[in-house]
């Protein structure tokens, strides 16, 4: 409807702003004109209501909804035809600046400029109208919000009758009796009505069957749910808490369904009057509150999820559950009193007297829960062996502190509320005590739900109980915390309209340069990147396990291909995700340039290692499984990443070597290309031994070893005449150089054995000590005799 508004020319816009009855009779109004006139009427009505400030809050809320609808549609109109306007602006800019006055312009060029300018103005005028209307609507919405907030503030700060004043007690009792008598009177009137009796007589079979089903669900629903739990727990979800959680929910919903059916039977039978029917419609909600609190207390205190929010030892679990049931009953009684207030005339003093006991009892229950919890926490602090089983502690770092803060705040409000109520500030007291109870219940429900989702995640992932310590558990906690925020805000009186406005702003996102970041764009980016990342990992797994092992590529090359595929795949996934999300990063070029300077100075070592890692994966001077020596460290290459390389030494220790050291330093690769390598075994014999005889023995020993290759044959080298021995070397080529140390040890054993048999001496270093001027030593000896 509003789309056509952007195609009206200036005369049409003027006509729709100042429409004359005669003109309307001559030509029918377009949808855009009708919409705009409706907006003008609504705006004028809103301004009158705001100036008068006499409308009810409900009427103001409805007016606000109408204004928000107009505002949103006008804002949508501001973005329509953006591409066409940009095209026309580019065409006008291409014509250059208009000539100065008195300077002639070619006729065809002037005509083209006039047509383009006219079309551009016709497109801009509706956008200007829409922008003005959106600003006006937004201003009216703000004024309505201010009035509503001021009224709520006035109600909260308003002081009414004092409930502890005995003068108000008789009127409260009388008003409550009158309300109950009015309901009972209507019931008696309905029972005495012949039409009601005929209706029941005509429908009694179906009503009786429905009532029997309802009683079965109400009385035996819990037993049915518990009876079927062992089968599914043992057969399907054995060892998990998933089915236990589902069973506990069935124990709530089956009795609740029975109550709903009973309510339906009573409503259909028309046994109650107008007041009774209004109360009857609220019964399912009250029953759900009682059942939900009963379920929540059982989940908390019997499943060990209460150590943070409501820390209670097993001895006080039953008492604590009873206190929670009392809180649920108080919430129900508060709603019952509110329902009676709508059906019966209560004075302000009577309402204050009836509300006050509920507030006092609720405060006492909260304080009792605090006393029990503080005692258990003191015992936990003394006993360091107490294990923390609260699912809330896995939400994120600091979750326990937040929960403790919420709990203390709720108990503090429970202390302050009765004082305010006794002074007559009943609305303020109720605005504190009941939201505090609902906050504790809501957070406890999310803690239980968090534990269930972790159990479910452990079930589908196969991690079981270990799922509590994974990143997925933290992510689940974060999402639940985010989901709980609007519910908590609503509990504490934040209007739905304010939440919807906040949600709209969140959906609109925020701008960085010319790029708008919105939740939709973020989710699109996350989903597309996750799909690309998963596809990359799948391709890597297929290459590693299926395709590459069937080729003749060495293990190092296979590892390089798999790693390179991962880097390229992740880069492409990020690129496609950015494009799919509609993010324009061209405006971030300046920021990227500034970051590059910072990288050049502050992160040059990391960048150097990253580039070196890419070079290692492409050139492959070393590969996974190679035996290398670098920087005095020797071992096997176990992993090559983009930043560093992990080497496992012969001592079974891991050494992390930066990739830049492998590129710029000297690296000895003993197994590059193949595992054939040479071993050198030095041998020394005593002077006087026949060198040829030694050579023959060493040659025989080398040739007899199974790891020594026959071609090329091993050789024995007479190195020379050492200070203490004749020096020889065995130089042999091994089939697998990885056995170098073993072969060298075995050759030494064999040499020692043969030399012993051949009586060839292996010398050791001997030194003769010559002392110059020995007579000096004798002169210092007092016992020496002079000659």
């Amino acid at each position: 409807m509003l789309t056509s508004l952007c195609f009206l020319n200036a005369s049409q816009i003027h006509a729709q702003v100042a429409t004359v009855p005669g003109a309307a009779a001559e030509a029918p109004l377009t949808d855009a004109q009708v919409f705009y006139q409706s907006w003008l009427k609504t705006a004028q009505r809103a301004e009158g209501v705001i100036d008068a400030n006499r409308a009810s809050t409900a009427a103001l809320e409805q007016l606000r909804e109408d204004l928000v609808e107009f505002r949103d549609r006008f804002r949508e109109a501001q973005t329509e035809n953006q591409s066409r306007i940009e095209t026309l602006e580019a065409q006008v800019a291409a014509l250059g600046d208009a000539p100065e006055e008195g300077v002639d312009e070619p006729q065809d060029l002037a005509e083209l400029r006039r047509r383009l300018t006219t079309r551009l103005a016709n497109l801009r005028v509706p956008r200007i109208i829409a922008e003005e209307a959106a600003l006006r609507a937004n201003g009216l919405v703000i004024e309505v919000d201010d009035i509503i907030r001021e009224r709520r503030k006035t109600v909260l700060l308003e002081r009414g009758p004092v409930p502890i004043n005995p003068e108000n007690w008789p009127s409260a009792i009388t008003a409550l009796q009158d309300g109950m008598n009015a309901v009972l009177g209507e019931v008696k009137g309905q029972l005495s009505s012949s039409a009601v009796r005929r209706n029941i007589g005509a429908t009694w079979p179906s009503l009786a069957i429905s009532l029997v089903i309802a009683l079965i669900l109400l009385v035996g629903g819990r037993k049915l749910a518990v009876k079927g739990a062992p089968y599914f727990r043992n057969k399907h979800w054995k060892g998990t808490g998933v089915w236990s959680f589902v069973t506990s929910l069935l124990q709530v919903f089956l009795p609740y369904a029975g109550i709903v059916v009973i309510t339906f039977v009573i409503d259909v039978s028309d046994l109650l009057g107008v007041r009774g029917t209004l109360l009857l419609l609220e019964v399912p909600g009250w029953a759900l509150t009682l059942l939900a609190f009963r379920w929540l207390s059982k989940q908390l205190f019997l499943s060990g999820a209460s150590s943070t929010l409501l820390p209670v030892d097993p001895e006080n679990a039953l008492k604590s559950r009873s206190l929670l049931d009392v809180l649920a009953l108080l919430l129900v009684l508060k709603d019952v009193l509110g329902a009676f207030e709508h059906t019966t005339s209560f004075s302000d003093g009577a309402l204050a007297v009836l509300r006050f006991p509920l507030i006092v009892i609720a405060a006492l229950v909260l304080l009792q829960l605090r006393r029990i919890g503080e005692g258990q926490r003191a015992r936990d602090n003394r006993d360091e062996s107490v294990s923390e089983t609260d699912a809330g502690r896995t939400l994120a770092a600091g979750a326990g502190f937040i929960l403790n803060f919420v709990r203390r705040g709720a108990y503090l409000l429970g202390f302050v509320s009765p004082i305010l109520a006794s002074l007559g500030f009943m609305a303020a007291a109720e605005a504190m005590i009941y939201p505090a109870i609902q906050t504790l219940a809501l957070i406890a429900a999310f803690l239980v739900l968090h534990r269930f989702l972790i159990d479910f995640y452990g079930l589908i992932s196969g991690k079981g109980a270990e799922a509590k310590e994974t990143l997925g558990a933290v992510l689940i906690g974060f999402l639940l915390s985010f989901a709980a925020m609007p519910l908590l805000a609503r509990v504490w009186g934040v209007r739905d309209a304010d939440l919807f406005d906040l949600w709209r702003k969140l959906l609109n996102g925020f701008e960085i340069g010319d790029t708008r970041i919105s939740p939709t764009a973020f989710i699109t980016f996350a989903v597309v990147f996750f799909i690309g990342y998963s596809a990359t990992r799948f391709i890597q797994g297929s290459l590693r396990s299926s395709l590459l092992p069937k080729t003749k590529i060495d293990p190092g090359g296979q590892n390089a291909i798999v790693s390179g595929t991962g880097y390229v795949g992740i880069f492409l996934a990020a690129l496609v995700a950015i494009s799919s999300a509609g993010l324009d990063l061209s405006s971030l070029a300046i920021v990227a340039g500034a970051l590059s300077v910072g990288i050049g100075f502050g992160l040059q070592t990391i960048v150097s290692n990253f580039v070196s890692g890419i070079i290692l994966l492409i050139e492959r001077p070393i590969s996974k499984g190679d035996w290398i020596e670098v920087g005095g460290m020797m071992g096997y290459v176990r992993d090559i990443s983009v930043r560093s390389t992990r080497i496992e030494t012969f001592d079974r220790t891991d050494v992390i070597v930066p990739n830049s050291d492998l590129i710029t330093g000297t690296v000895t690769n003993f197994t590059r290309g193949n595992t054939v390598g040479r071993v050198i075994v030095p041998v020394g014999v005593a002077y006087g031994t026949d060198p040829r005889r030694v050579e023959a023995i060493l040659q025989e020993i080398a040739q007899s070893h199974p790891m020594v290759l026959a071609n090329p044959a091993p050789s024995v080298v007479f190195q020379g005449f050492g200070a203490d021995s004749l020096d020889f070397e065995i130089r042999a080529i091994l089939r697998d150089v990885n056995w170098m140390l073993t072969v060298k040890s075995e050759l030494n054993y064999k040499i020692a054995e043969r030399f012993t048999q051949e009586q060839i001496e292996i010398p050791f270093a001997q030194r003769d000590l010559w002392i110059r001027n020995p007579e000096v030593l004798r002169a210092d000896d007092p016992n020496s005799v002079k000659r």
Side-chain angles (χ1 to χ4, degrees):
M1 179 186 300
L2 190 60
T3 305
S4 58
L5 180 63
C6 295
F7 293 94
L8 301 177
N9 55 34
S11 60
Q12 289 173 316
I13 294 294
H14 179 72
Q16 71 181 12
V17 175
T19 306
V20 232
E26 294 176 1
L29 297 177
T30 63
D31 292 341
Q33 291 172 329
V34 172
F35 175 80
Y36 194 79
Q37 285 186 350
S38 175
W39 151 245
L40 292 177
K41 294 178 181 178
T42 303
Q44 293 174 359
R45 178 168 60 88
E47 290 172 349
V49 170
I50 292 172
D51 292 337
N53 195 12
R54 289 194 298 267
S56 64
T57 302
L60 289 176
E61 291 285 3
Q62 183 60 46
L63 178 61
R64 186 188 189 281
E65 291 183 8
D66 298 337
L67 293 173
V68 168
E69 182 179 357
F70 280 110
R71 181 190 63 184
D72 293 342
R73 297 184 66 181
F74 280 123
R75 286 178 176 176
E76 291 176 1
Q78 295 179 36
T79 60
E80 293 179 355
N81 297 314
Q82 179 65 29
S83 300
R84 182 175 298 184
I85 292 176
E86 291 178 355
T87 301
L88 289 174
E89 289 177 347
Q91 288 178 294
V92 173
L95 297 178
D97 297 334
E100 299 179 359
E101 187 177 355
V103 179
D104 294 335
E105 186 178 19
Q107 184 176 359
D108 54 349
L109 187 60
E111 179 63 21
L112 177 60
R113 185 189 301 276
R114 185 190 63 80
R115 289 201 309 269
L116 293 176
T117 305
T118 302
R119 291 175 60 188
L120 184 60
N122 290 338
L123 290 177
R124 281 177 173 173
V125 169
R127 292 186 61 181
I128 296 174
I129 296 295
E131 182 177 0
E132 181 274 335
L135 292 174
R136 184 180 181 186
N138 188 62
L140 293 174
V141 168
I142 293 175
E143 292 186 44
V144 172
D145 286 338
D146 291 339
I147 293 176
I148 295 176
R149 292 192 183 99
E150 187 63 28
R151 288 183 178 181
R152 297 182 67 179
K153 177 182 176 182
T154 302
V155 170
L156 288 177
L157 298 180
E158 183 180 7
R159 184 179 181 184
V162 178
I164 59 178
N165 186 0
E167 296 180 356
N168 298 321
W169 297 355
S171 61
I173 298 175
T174 302
L176 185 61
Q177 290 176 347
D178 293 342
M180 296 178 64
N181 292 332
V183 174
L184 294 176
E186 288 184 350
V187 173
K188 292 179 180 179
Q190 292 295 109
L191 290 175
S192 61
S193 172
S194 58
V196 173
R197 289 198 297 268
R198 284 195 303 269
N199 181 36
I200 295 176
T203 59
W204 75 268
S206 59
L207 293 179
I209 294 174
S210 301
L211 191 59
V212 170
I213 296 175
L215 291 176
I216 292 175
L217 292 175
L218 182 61
V219 177
R222 295 173 60 87
K223 296 181 180 179
L224 289 175
V226 174
K227 198 171 184 181
Y231 172 79
F232 288 95
R233 186 185 296 113
N234 296 330
K235 298 293 183 181
H236 299 281
W237 294 334
K238 185 176 181 180
T240 66
V242 175
W243 183 249
S244 300
F245 183 83
V246 175
T247 303
S248 66
L249 288 180
L250 290 177
Q251 294 177 15
V252 172
F253 286 113
L254 290 180
Y256 175 73
I259 294 175
V260 172
V261 174
I262 293 176
T263 305
F264 172 76
V265 170
I266 298 175
D267 187 29
V268 171
S269 63
D270 202 17
L271 292 175
L272 305 178
V274 177
R275 293 184 177 88
T277 302
L278 292 176
L279 295 176
L280 181 66
L281 295 178
E282 302 293 335
V283 169
W286 299 337
L288 183 60
T289 300
L290 296 174
L291 292 173
F293 267 74
R294 165 62 61 171
W295 169 82
L296 186 59
S297 62
K298 182 178 179 180
Q299 292 295 311
L300 283 175
F301 300 125
L302 297 187
S303 303
S306 60
S307 61
T308 298
L309 191 65
L310 297 171
V312 174
D313 59 350
E315 297 179 358
N316 291 321
L318 182 60
K319 181 178 180 181
S320 300
R321 292 181 61 188
S322 301
L323 292 176
L324 289 181
D325 291 340
V326 172
L327 290 179
L329 182 61
L330 291 173
L331 291 176
V332 171
L333 291 177
K334 177 246 184 184
D335 291 341
V336 171
L337 184 59
F340 265 105
E341 183 181 354
H342 289 89
T343 59
T344 307
S345 177
F346 285 95
S347 64
D348 293 340
L351 282 176
V353 172
L354 294 175
R355 290 175 179 173
F356 183 69
L358 302 181
I359 295 175
V360 173
I361 296 174
L364 292 176
V365 172
L366 287 178
L367 294 177
Q368 182 67 12
L369 285 175
R370 179 182 182 276
R371 186 186 65 81
I372 297 175
E374 291 295 338
Q376 176 61 22
R377 271 187 299 275
R379 287 189 291 272
D380 290 344
N381 292 333
R382 290 194 300 267
D383 185 7
E384 298 180 355
S385 63
V386 174
S387 60
E388 296 181 1
T389 58
D390 181 19
R393 291 194 181 273
T394 59
L395 290 177
F401 171 78
I402 296 176
L403 293 178
N404 187 54
F405 174 78
V406 172
R407 177 180 51 78
R408 290 179 179 272
Y411 295 149
L412 177 62
L413 294 179
F415 176 77
V416 174
S417 297
I419 299 176
L420 293 177
S422 63
L423 296 176
F425 297 97
M426 193 62 61
E430 289 186 338
M432 291 182 180
I433 189 69
Y434 295 120
I437 297 173
Q438 294 170 350
T439 298
L440 291 176
L442 184 61
I443 294 180
F446 272 91
L447 291 177
V448 174
L449 181 60
H450 179 253
R451 189 186 64 240
F452 162 72
L453 292 177
I454 291 178
D455 290 338
F456 186 74
Y457 171 69
L459 173 65
I460 62 177
S461 63
K463 296 180 179 180
E466 297 179 357
K468 297 179 181 179
E469 306 299 331
T470 61
L471 181 61
V474 178
L475 181 60
I476 292 173
F478 174 78
L479 294 177
L480 284 178
S481 302
F482 185 77
M485 290 181 183
L487 297 178
L488 288 173
R490 201 172 185 279
V491 163
W492 286 98
V494 178
R495 297 160 48 223
D496 293 339
D498 294 333
L499 293 177
F500 285 134
D501 282 347
L502 183 62
W503 178 249
R504 291 190 189 96
K505 292 179 181 179
L506 184 63
L507 290 180
N508 291 333
F510 56 93
E511 291 186 356
I512 300 180
D514 296 333
T515 302
R516 175 170 290 277
I517 306 297
S518 64
T520 304
F522 178 77
I523 293 175
T524 302
F525 172 83
V527 170
V528 174
F529 181 78
F530 176 77
I531 294 175
Y533 180 82
S534 301
T536 301
R537 293 307 183 194
F538 175 77
I539 294 174
Q540 283 184 292
S542 301
L543 290 175
R544 184 182 293 108
S545 59
S546 301
L547 182 59
L548 292 178
K550 298 178 181 179
T551 64
K552 297 182 179 180
I553 303 176
D554 60 276
Q558 295 181 14
N559 181 67
I561 292 175
V562 172
S563 300
T565 303
Y567 299 141
V568 174
I570 292 176
F571 174 76
L572 293 178
L575 192 62
V576 174
I578 292 174
S579 301
S580 301
L583 302 178
D584 183 14
L585 303 182
S586 59
S587 59
L588 301 180
I590 299 178
V591 179
L595 287 177
S596 63
V597 176
I599 290 174
F601 287 99
L603 304 178
Q604 55 183 345
T605 303
I606 297 177
V607 174
S608 174
N609 291 326
F610 180 81
V611 174
S612 300
I614 296 177
I615 295 175
L616 289 176
L617 293 175
I618 295 177
E619 295 186 353
R620 295 193 294 118
I622 61 173
S623 302
K624 187 176 180 180
D626 285 354
W627 175 14
I628 68 171
E629 180 181 5
V630 55
M633 304 300 298
M634 182 181 296
Y636 291 101
V637 178
R638 296 306 184 195
D639 184 50
I640 301 176
S641 64
V642 293
R643 192 195 68 83
S644 60
T645 297
R646 182 169 63 89
I647 300 175
E648 182 182 352
T649 66
F650 299 126
D651 297 331
R652 300 299 181 185
T653 59
D654 287 343
V655 177
I656 308 301
V657 180
N659 288 332
S660 58
D661 293 350
L662 298 174
I663 295 297
T664 59
T666 301
V667 180
T668 302
N669 194 332
F670 295 95
T671 58
R672 177 62 182 165
N674 56 67
T675 59
V676 176
R678 185 171 67 177
V679 63
I680 298 177
V681 182
V683 181
V685 298
Y687 277 94
T689 308
D690 185 3
R692 293 296 180 181
R693 182 183 172 200
V694 174
E695 179 185 6
I697 294 173
L698 295 179
Q699 188 75 29
E700 179 184 351
I701 292 173
Q703 291 176 352
S704 63
H705 198 283
M707 289 296 296
V708 176
L709 293 178
N711 187 18
S715 62
V716 177
V717 179
F718 185 9
Q719 285 289 91
F721 303 93
D724 304 296
S725 63
L726 303 176
D727 297 332
F728 293 83
E729 281 185 356
I730 299 177
R731 298 191 175 189
I733 304 299
L734 304 181
R735 303 176 188 276
D736 190 347
V737 74
N738 292 297
W739 294 86
M740 177 188 294
L741 296 178
T742 302
V743 172
K744 191 172 183 179
S745 177
E746 292 176 353
L747 290 178
N748 284 328
Y749 277 117
K750 193 64 177 178
I751 291 170
E753 181 183 351
R754 287 292 305 275
F755 280 9
T756 302
Q757 295 175 1
E758 300 292 337
Q759 296 182 352
I760 297 176
E761 181 184 356
I762 299 177
F764 54 87
Q766 297 184 18
R767 297 292 182 267
D768 292 334
L769 183 62
W770 293 81
I771 301 177
R772 298 178 63 182
N773 303 324
E775 63 276 3
V776 177
L777 296 177
R778 289 201 222 41
D780 294 338
D781 188 1
N783 297 323
S784 62
V785 181
K786 292 185 180 180
R787 295 182 181 178

